[in-house]
Amino acid sequence: MNRTPRSGPPSSRPWRRFAAAAAGSLSLALALAAAPAVAHDGDDHGEEKGTTSRSSAGSCSAEERKELAALGDNFVAACDIPGNDFSMLRTPARALKPGETDSSDNLSLVANIPKQGAFADVSALNSDLAFKGKYAFAGNYNGFMVYDLSRAKHPRIVSQVVCPGSQNDISVYGDLLVLSVDSSRSDDSCSSTALSAQQKEAWEGIRVFDISDPESPQYVAAVETACGSHTHTLAPDKRGRNLFVYVSSYSPNETFPDCQPPHDKISIVKVPVKDPGSSSLVAAPVLFPDGGNPGEGYSRPTTGCHDITAYPSKDIAAGACMGDGILLDISDRKAPKVIEQVRDEENFSFWHSATFNNKATKVVFTDELGGGGAPTCNPETGRTKGANAIYDIVGGKKNGKAGKKAGKGTPKLAFRSYYKIPRPQAATENCVAHNGSLIPVKGKDIMVQAWYQGGISVFDFTNSRKPKEIAWFDRGPLSDTELITGGSWSAYWYNGRIYSNDIQQGFDVLELDDKRVRDAKKVRMDVFNPQSQPYYNN
């Protein structure tokens, strides 16, 4: 069922007939040369929004850079990875060919629904996932899909909502669905078109839908936020009456009226659960009053956060903020406070996302080297770049909620190890650490994770110093002659199975048959947003 919302929030402009604009070719010829990291996360306004590149001659051409920037997310950073010359890469002989798949014996693909309708085009990238009851909600640069998982091996499409605005990062709570828009639009409606961020009337922010009827979601509110909303995180209050949305965005520019430097903050939107139409911006706390990472070394400069993962029941959150990794105290939902800050100038180019273990004694941070648009899973890049970094949270235990040892002061992040998939990928496959979630195994720390065209990996990090892969699934490249942006954007465990939103191939369901996770299949959740972690009591 393909639906374009008939109306927006009460304050929005009248609906107009939707005409999707192609984001341009998604291919990138492998002629990239070594260059320092950029300070830009491209979106639909691409180079206009902060492409303050310090690249040397010989990196991407202007046209290639423009095409990657138009894809949104952080893909344009593929042009400016320090120390790599991708034109010299050769595909390993053992790498998969286009159309091939492979996996460990314990992980299998059991269902796939290809992209279709308004999302079928190669420029309509699939993005993040959220879950409620028997439904999966899947973001796409052109809107979102609703799938019925009642028969997980035979999922079906319930509805398709056409509402363009990359990257449409997605979350659900009760009967509400929240979308992030980080592409500068002509207005907040679902019939909006791209408009330069240099124009004051341009709009970016969050959209709120009523999903009480999954077959016909209704658009009920929109809130503009500074520099848009690249991602967002839900942190409901203790009584569940108000939903606080932590909005992450970055890459300010002096020429953008609504995205001014230094942008060392996040935006907080309050969504009253019973009156979502009155949603509003309630705070914009500065997280880096003394400035974040200046970006003078290997890491990107910090001009905001890419993603925040909240653990509401423990009043703690972890932020991946470009050049910095942070811990936040969120006991006051409207006033989160940074309580720990770490950097890795040797191996982390771009702090992208974070996942706690169930006890909140560890955090897995990801490094999105190359912005997800480059082939970084190869011997040339190595095993410590474009990888996960596993940190223990030590000391500073607050009311028994965080830290594995009681102690005075605040919790500290102690680095333990890196984890990266061990399989070299083709030179035409974008591959780097991306979104994942815990698998609820009592007494163990096991995570499933997407690696773009590197596929899906399941790894055990119970021993923080010695993470080990226990299962994997991989498709061959989309092409063996050019790099086409694709692969698994997000891979999450939900009610006994793994679900993946593949950028080009569609919605996947995978079965993990392994005694180490057998008990996890008994754990049932009513709702799951990976960036708002629940506590599994098993």
Side-chain angles (χ1 to χ4, degrees):
M1 182 179 296
N2 186 328
R3 293 182 180 271
T4 299
R6 295 183 179 274
S7 62
S11 62
S12 70
R13 303 178 186 180
W15 292 106
R16 297 187 297 273
R17 182 179 178 86
F18 166 67
S25 169
L26 302 190
S27 63
L28 173 64
L30 296 178
L32 308 183
V38 299
H40 167 59
D41 172 58
D43 55 14
D44 269 3
H45 36 263
E47 293 179 283
E48 296 176 77
K49 187 173 180 180
T51 309
T52 53
S53 172
R54 297 168 297 174
S55 63
S56 60
S59 62
C60 293
S61 68
E63 183 61 27
E64 289 168 340
R65 182 178 292 279
K66 183 177 181 180
E67 290 178 359
L68 281 172
L71 294 181
D73 198 26
N74 190 32
F75 295 122
V76 75
C79 295
D80 302 279
I81 297 178
N84 277 351
D85 182 351
F86 295 122
S87 65
M88 303 300 294
L89 288 181
R90 296 292 181 269
T91 295
R94 63 183 180 276
L96 296 175
K97 303 297 188 291
E100 294 181 341
T101 62
D102 198 5
S103 68
S104 56
D105 292 340
N106 56 353
L107 185 59
S108 57
L109 179 69
V110 296
N112 169 264
I113 298 180
K115 296 197 304 180
Q116 52 200 273
F119 301 171
D121 192 83
V122 69
S123 66
L125 277 61
N126 276 342
S127 58
D128 211 3
L129 293 168
F131 304 87
K132 177 192 172 186
K134 66 179 183 179
Y135 298 107
F137 299 84
N140 178 281
Y141 277 29
N142 279 346
F144 65 92
M145 300 289 297
V146 183
Y147 297 102
D148 186 334
L149 308 179
S150 298
R151 300 172 64 208
K153 292 185 178 181
H154 302 280
R156 68 177 182 87
I157 296 173
V158 175
S159 58
Q160 180 182 65
V161 176
V162 179
C163 196
S166 66
Q167 55 189 18
N168 276 330
D169 193 60
I170 194 166
S171 296
V172 295
Y173 184 84
D175 288 333
L176 301 178
L177 178 147
V178 180
L179 289 178
S180 279
V181 179
D182 192 31
S183 66
S184 188
R185 313 297 298 175
S186 57
D187 56 58
D188 62 14
S189 74
C190 288
S191 56
S192 66
T193 56
L195 181 67
S196 170
Q198 294 178 340
Q199 305 299 313
K200 176 61 180 174
E201 62 269 26
W203 182 90
E204 299 176 271
I206 67 162
R207 293 168 171 150
V208 182
F209 285 76
D210 182 328
I211 54 170
S212 53
D213 179 1
E215 293 188 358
S216 182
Q218 299 298 308
Y219 189 4
V220 297
V223 179
E224 186 172 13
T225 56
C227 298
S229 175
H230 191 69
T231 63
H232 67 266
T233 303
L234 305 186
D237 64 19
K238 301 293 185 181
R239 296 184 178 181
R241 295 177 179 175
N242 294 299
L243 191 59
F244 290 93
V245 183
Y246 294 163
V247 175
S248 294
S249 58
Y250 52 105
S251 291
N253 188 298
E254 291 180 354
T255 68
F256 301 158
D258 299 320
C259 185
Q260 290 288 297
H263 196 68
D264 47 10
K265 61 187 177 182
I266 61 171
S267 298
I268 300 180
V269 173
K270 179 181 176 181
V271 181
V273 173
K274 293 186 178 181
D275 184 21
S278 65
S279 299
S280 62
L281 182 70
V282 295
V286 173
L287 301 185
F288 303 98
D290 299 321
N293 193 320
E296 296 171 352
Y298 178 75
S299 299
R300 291 270 294 273
T302 298
T303 58
C305 290
H306 180 279
D307 211 338
I308 293 172
T309 293
Y311 205 147
S313 66
K314 295 183 180 293
D315 288 335
I316 194 171
C321 301
M322 304 180 73
D324 294 278
I326 60 175
L327 287 179
L328 297 137
D329 180 337
I330 60 169
S331 52
D332 182 347
R333 297 291 194 257
K334 290 192 294 184
K337 297 179 180 179
V338 176
I339 55 177
E340 171 67 329
Q341 182 176 354
V342 293
R343 295 174 183 170
D344 182 346
E345 292 288 0
E346 181 178 353
N347 289 309
F348 255 50
S349 170
F350 188 89
W351 296 70
H352 174 273
S353 54
T355 302
F356 289 100
N357 69 335
N358 193 48
K359 294 181 179 179
T361 58
K362 301 173 186 175
V363 183
V364 177
F365 287 103
T366 64
D367 170 29
E368 194 182 42
L369 174 66
T376 70
C377 298
N378 47 59
E380 290 82 356
T381 303
R383 297 294 301 277
T384 60
K385 290 179 168 60
N388 297 330
I390 301 170
Y391 285 78
D392 283 347
I393 302 176
V394 298
K397 193 171 183 180
K398 180 182 178 181
N399 299 325
K401 292 184 177 180
K404 63 180 182 180
K405 293 183 179 180
K408 296 181 179 180
T410 57
K412 298 294 182 183
L413 289 165
F415 172 77
R416 295 302 185 229
S417 65
Y418 296 106
Y419 171 78
K420 190 172 183 179
I421 58 171
R423 290 166 301 287
Q425 300 294 303
T428 54
E429 289 185 290
N430 56 306
C431 177
V432 76
H434 212 234
N435 298 338
S437 73
L438 288 184
I439 297 178
V441 178
K442 187 175 182 179
K444 296 287 186 180
D445 298 324
I446 298 177
M447 180 174 172
V448 58
Q449 185 179 19
W451 289 78
Y452 289 115
Q453 289 196 71
I456 295 168
S457 177
V458 180
F459 66 100
D460 185 331
F461 63 105
T462 307
N463 184 338
S464 304
R465 300 178 189 274
K466 295 182 179 181
K468 181 181 180 181
E469 185 174 72
I470 63 173
W472 57 275
F473 171 82
D474 193 11
R475 287 184 169 103
L478 293 167
S479 169
D480 57 5
T481 60
E482 60 182 0
L483 194 158
I484 301 173
T485 302
S488 178
W489 181 290
S490 298
Y492 301 133
W493 178 275
Y494 179 69
N495 290 352
R497 289 181 173 85
I498 293 170
Y499 298 94
S500 166
N501 212 20
D502 188 287
I503 291 171
Q504 302 296 351
Q505 306 278 20
F507 182 71
D508 292 331
V509 183
L510 298 100
E511 190 81 45
L512 179 58
D513 184 14
D514 191 294
K515 64 181 181 181
R516 287 166 287 196
V517 303
R518 203 156 290 160
D519 288 344
K521 295 190 176 185
K522 303 173 184 177
V523 179
R524 287 292 178 266
M525 293 176 281
D526 296 325
V527 64
F528 181 50
N529 298 297
Q531 288 75 41
S532 186
Q533 281 192 227
Y535 174 71
Y536 301 111
N537 59 20
N538 294 95

